[in-house]
Amino acid sequence: MSLFGSRKTKQQPKTTPQDAIKRLNETLDNIDKREKHIQKNVDKELATAKQMIAAKNKNGAKMALRRKKMYESQIEKLNGTKMTIENQKMALENANFNKDIMQAMSMGAQALRGVNQDLTIDSVDQTMDDIQEQMDLANEISEAISQPTGAYVEDDELEAELAELEAEGLDETLLSVESTPKTALPKAAVSGKSPELNLPSAPTSQVTVDEDEQELRALEASMA
């Protein structure tokens, strides 16, 4: 044990997914810048090799091509590194998305647990039984209220009284038919001949002319 006591290590701040994704994006930007810089060197060495060939300097052209190959190799390594970072970034984004989904589902489960805390199968069954019992009681009350009050009359007694009333009605109908007087038919109807009709005789005297008509005729005669 140290005389000065144990030294506490400082805990590093926890990195959030958003901070990690931001850092990865910055790294990708730096790789792109580095790749562009190396590509310029590739193009430069290629132009140098062409100049050396034109100057018939074969060794100088080979050296320029070797440097060009080295730069191209660095570009390939940067492309591999960039692919790895992009995969890591994608995995981190998916994990963060899944985490948000799980948090939302966990909150939903807690809320559902709180709702169902006092709701059990036994309490539901008891509530349904109470509802059915009250509905049965209400039906019994309705049937009791709808029952007719007063003296109860048997159907046989009603049928006998109905038959007696029908018999009285039939007797009255027969008596009214027998008491109706018979109407005598005319002789002509009995013999089959058409009966003679007594029509008024036509007037024999001339119809009297109106006084106005007479005056009109007199006036016409005076003007002739």
Side-chain angles (χ1 to χ4, degrees):
M1 183 175 179
S2 176
L3 296 176
F4 300 98
S6 60
R7 179 178 298 178
K8 295 181 179 180
T9 58
K10 185 178 180 181
Q11 293 182 353
Q12 296 293 331
K14 186 177 179 179
T15 303
T16 62
Q18 291 78 10
D19 294 338
I21 292 173
K22 181 180 178 181
R23 180 58 180 168
L24 291 174
N25 287 329
E26 293 175 353
T27 303
L28 289 174
D29 292 338
N30 293 332
I31 291 175
D32 289 337
K33 293 177 181 179
R34 178 64 178 172
E35 184 178 357
K36 291 178 180 179
H37 175 72
I38 295 175
Q39 185 62 43
K40 290 180 180 179
N41 292 332
V42 171
D43 296 337
K44 179 181 178 181
E45 295 300 333
L46 180 59
T48 302
K50 291 179 179 180
Q51 292 176 359
M52 293 296 176
I53 292 174
K56 305 298 182 180
N57 187 352
K58 191 175 182 180
N59 292 329
K62 287 182 179 181
M63 290 297 297
L65 291 176
R66 288 193 185 98
R67 289 191 297 270
K68 173 180 170 293
K69 292 290 183 181
M70 292 174 58
Y71 290 133
E72 288 176 347
S73 178
Q74 292 182 9
I75 292 176
E76 291 179 359
K77 292 179 181 179
L78 289 176
N79 287 332
T81 303
K82 184 165 65 175
M83 183 63 66
T84 301
I85 294 176
E86 288 178 350
N87 290 334
Q88 186 180 12
K89 173 187 172 184
M90 185 179 298
L92 185 57
E93 289 175 345
N94 291 334
N96 188 40
F97 181 71
N98 293 334
K99 179 183 176 182
D100 293 338
I101 293 177
M102 291 303 300
Q103 288 178 349
M105 294 177 66
S106 177
M107 292 177 62
Q110 292 178 1
L112 187 60
R113 190 181 300 110
V115 171
N116 295 332
Q117 185 175 2
D118 298 329
L119 192 64
T120 62
I121 298 297
D122 294 336
S123 62
V124 172
D125 292 339
Q126 183 62 40
T127 302
M128 297 304 297
D129 291 340
D130 293 342
I131 293 174
Q132 187 63 43
E133 182 179 354
Q134 294 303 319
M135 291 178 65
D136 294 340
L137 179 59
N139 291 332
E140 292 178 1
I141 294 174
S142 297
E143 291 179 0
I145 294 174
S146 63
Q147 292 295 330
T149 57
Y152 178 74
V153 181
E154 294 290 341
D155 289 341
D156 295 340
E157 185 178 351
L158 293 176
E159 291 289 341
E161 187 175 354
L162 179 61
E164 184 179 351
L165 291 175
E166 290 177 348
E168 292 178 358
L170 182 60
D171 293 339
E172 292 178 358
T173 302
L174 293 175
L175 290 175
S176 63
V177 171
E178 292 177 357
S179 61
T180 302
K182 297 181 181 180
T183 304
L185 297 175
K187 296 180 180 180
V190 175
S191 61
K193 296 180 181 181
S194 299
E196 294 181 359
L197 300 177
N198 295 325
L199 299 176
S201 58
T204 56
S205 60
Q206 295 181 355
V207 180
T208 305
V209 183
D210 263 349
E211 294 181 358
D212 293 339
E213 186 67 24
Q214 291 178 357
E215 291 181 3
L216 180 60
R217 288 181 182 179
L219 183 60
E220 289 178 350
S222 66
M223 293 176 63

